[in-house]
């Protein structure tokens, strides 16, 4: 049952909302602006409605995986591994030659579904750092630092280990955005 759940989680992550939203608009988002299959690129290329649909679709992947794990009464660490796998599936979709999105919307769904109180620290960190740096990208980095800090403070580092690894993968995918934001701040 656990292996099937994890496989399902990864496959759900492979559903790239932005790819299908782009198809509806007759646009291949992998060829536009950042070439990223995420809500931010969908919004900048296609507008607010495409942003919202992509954000909701990708967030719901995370909610679905966590919800199914709870419905099936799986242990917390198993669900958290499934949550990490839905993010990794989004970052590296097999059917698109491992070229997916950057995982933020999927992480939002995962974070809210797993523990709204822990996710609150992601929001606080993002808002706090964004207010000083004027950069949503750097704010997100701050949010991840606060989120991981909250996990450590809550004594949940062991069950959340796989999700922390997924966060590191997301940060690696964001590295060019982070460097660009840091250079603009100089």
């Amino acid at each position: 049952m656990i292996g099937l759940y994890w496989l399902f989680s990864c496959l759900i992550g492979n559903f790239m909302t932005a790819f299908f939203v782009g198809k509806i608009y007759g646009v291949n988002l992998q060829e536009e602006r950042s070439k990223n299959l995420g809500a931010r690129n969908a919004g900048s290329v296609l507008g607010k409605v495409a942003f919202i649909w992509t954000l909701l679709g990708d967030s719901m992947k995370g909610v679905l995986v966590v919800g199914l794990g709870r419905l099936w009464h799986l242990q917390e660490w198993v669900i958290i591994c499934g949550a990490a796998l839905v993010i990794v599936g989004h970052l590296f979709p097999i059917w698109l030659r491992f070229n997916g999105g950057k995982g933020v919307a999927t992480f939002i769904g995962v974070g809210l579904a797993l523990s709204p109180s822990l996710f609150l620290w992601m929001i606080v960190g993002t808002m706090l750092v964004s207010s000083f740096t004027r950069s949503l990208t750097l704010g997100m980095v701050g949010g991840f630092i606060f989120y991981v800090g909250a996990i450590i403070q809550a004594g949940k580092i062991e069950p959340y280990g796989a999700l922390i690894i997924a966060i590191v993968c997301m940060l690696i995918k964001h590295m060019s955005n982070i460097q660009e934001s840091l250079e603009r701040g100089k």
Side-chain angles (χ1 to χ4, degrees), residues 10-106:
C10 193
L11 291 175
I12 288 294
N14 272 254
F15 179 85
M16 302 303 297
T17 308
F19 180 86
F20 296 104
V21 168
K23 289 289 180 198
I24 291 168
Y25 283 84
V27 173
N28 181 353
L29 289 171
Q30 290 180 299
E31 297 173 355
E32 301 292 330
R33 296 216 179 153
S34 72
K35 300 175 181 15
N36 180 8
L37 286 176
R40 195 174 192 178
N41 195 39
S44 66
V45 173
L46 303 171
K48 288 179 187 173
V49 173
F51 171 83
I52 291 168
W53 278 113
T54 304
L55 177 70
L56 288 174
D58 287 347
S59 296
M60 291 311 295
K61 294 189 300 192
V63 172
L64 175 65
V65 165
V66 172
L68 280 176
R70 291 202 172 128
L71 183 68
W72 293 342
H73 304 289
L74 298 173
Q75 293 178 325
E76 181 183 33
W77 72 272
V78 174
I79 295 170
I80 294 168
C81 285
L85 286 168
V86 73
I87 292 169
V88 170
H90 178 85
L91 296 173
F92 309 107
I94 297 163
W95 66 284
L96 292 172
R97 296 188 183 119
F98 305 101
N99 187 20
K102 294 186 179 176
V104 175
T106 305

Side-chain angles (χ1 to χ4, degrees), residues 3 6 9 20 26 71 76 78 83 86-87 89 101 111-112 132 135-136 172:
W6 286 345
S9 298
F20 296 104
L71 183 68
E76 181 183 33
V78 174
V86 73
I87 292 169
L112 285 170
F132 286 107
S135 165
L136 187 57
I172 290 168

Side-chain angles (χ1 to χ4, degrees), residues 166-185:
I167 290 169
V168 169
C169 291
M170 290 170 58
L171 288 170
I172 290 168
K173 286 275 271 198
H174 277 91
M175 200 53 73
S176 62
N177 300 75
I178 294 167
Q179 288 173 337
E180 184 180 308
S181 295
L182 288 170
E183 288 170 9
R184 263 192 308 226

Side-chain angles (χ1 to χ4, degrees), residues 148-166:
V148 172
I151 289 169
I152 293 167
Q153 180 66 30
K156 294 189 171 229
I157 193 137
E158 201 169 296
Y160 274 80
L163 189 57
I164 292 170
I165 292 168

